[in-house]
Amino acid sequence: SHDGCHFAFTGGYENLGYHIYRQAASKLYGGTSHNVNPPNPASVQLVGTDKLKITFRNVADNYVYEAGVEADFQVVGAPVSVTGGIVSGNELLLQLSGNATNATHLLYGGRQFSGQWVTNANGVGMVSFSEPILPP
């Protein structure tokens, strides 16, 4: 519910309010700390020649990969793109379109307006990042 400048209340500012409430409740009132903060990568590692494994810092959270978010990733140093992904525990395995052995960084920029995301179970979207790619 984003129009390029503002959000609608339902599905927009309302959701942002819930996200902020959960963070405040966790820090100030001893509320749950699970699925409160955005998915935040700890590392990115090449798996074989055509996959990247993102390991998230919050190991107890539940993560969701929405098909279509591939376009928001950029692999630096190799002529490949992200074609899909699957979540397992606190790891996201990204399938690449080809050999990425020369890749140096993975960038995630998110998006403006509505679309697909990598989120936690409460719908909090992944933070934008630029991470070096560790060798296998």
Side-chain angles (χ1 to χ4, degrees), residues 50-123:
D50 64 347
K51 294 178 183 62
L52 292 175
K53 177 176 69 174
I54 300 173
T55 302
F56 294 111
R57 295 178 195 281
N58 304 327
V59 295
D61 285 0
N62 302 96
Y63 298 99
V64 177
Y65 176 91
E66 296 178 352
V69 74
E70 299 86 17
D72 298 331
F73 288 96
Q74 181 182 355
V75 180
V76 177
V80 299
S81 59
V82 175
T83 60
I86 187 166
V87 171
S88 177
N90 72 315
E91 297 177 342
L92 169 58
L93 190 64
L94 298 175
Q95 180 65 50
L96 304 176
S97 61
N99 188 321
T101 52
N102 293 326
T104 60
H105 284 78
L106 179 65
L107 309 177
Y108 174 75
R111 66 176 59 215
Q112 189 178 18
F113 305 108
S114 298
Q116 296 76 32
W117 301 90
V118 175
T119 66
N120 66 22
N122 283 324

Side-chain angles (χ1 to χ4, degrees), residues 1-2 5-20:
S1 293
H2 192 261
C5 185
H6 299 283
F7 294 94
F9 177 75
T10 303
Y13 286 117
E14 179 182 35
N15 289 352
L16 291 173
Y18 286 130
H19 297 331
I20 293 167

